[in-house]
Amino acid sequence: MLSMYCNSNQHDWDRYLQKVMIAYRLSVHSKTGQTPNKTVFGHDNILPLQALVGLPPNPSHDSTESSTDYTIRLHARLELIHHTARVVPQTTL
């Protein structure tokens, strides 16, 4: 991904690293069907535009939910995501 933005001498790769990593972490992996952020943290990051405009309403979100309930749901979601990533057939390189 960096090679698409760097100059021919590759002296300016560090200027693009942060943006490329954001794009990579929010890209859906072809085998797992999940983004790296979702696989590690259980959710995708909120981008600046989403923070400005706001996220679409989530009917399953309860603003009165306790932190314990959230932690239990997050843990279950992470277990499911990790299980899915492990059972996906690996391709040989």
Side-chain angles (χ1 to χ4, degrees), residues 4-62:
M4 302 303 274
Y5 295 99
C6 293
N7 64 25
S8 60
N9 296 327
Q10 298 180 357
H11 291 194
D12 62 347
W13 64 270
D14 57 330
R15 292 180 53 205
Y16 304 102
L17 184 59
Q18 185 176 12
K19 292 175 185 171
V20 167
M21 291 308 300
I22 290 170
Y24 173 77
R25 291 176 184 137
L26 291 174
S27 299
V28 176
H29 191 275
S30 62
K31 297 295 180 187
T32 65
Q34 303 292 336
T35 65
N37 273 354
K38 193 165 192 171
T39 302
V40 174
F41 302 115
H43 61 84
D44 288 322
N45 287 350
I46 297 174
L47 298 174
L49 181 60
Q50 293 168 320
L52 180 66
V53 174
L55 296 172
N58 184 354
S60 65
H61 177 69
D62 181 7

Side-chain angles (χ1 to χ4, degrees), residues 62-92:
D62 181 7
S63 61
T64 62
E65 178 181 48
S66 73
S67 60
T68 304
D69 292 338
Y70 172 79
T71 304
I72 291 168
R73 284 189 319 105
L74 175 62
H75 182 67
R77 207 168 44 232
L78 283 170
E79 281 185 355
L80 176 63
I81 291 168
H82 290 176
H83 173 74
T84 302
R86 280 191 297 272
V87 298
V88 171
Q90 301 295 319
T91 60
T92 57

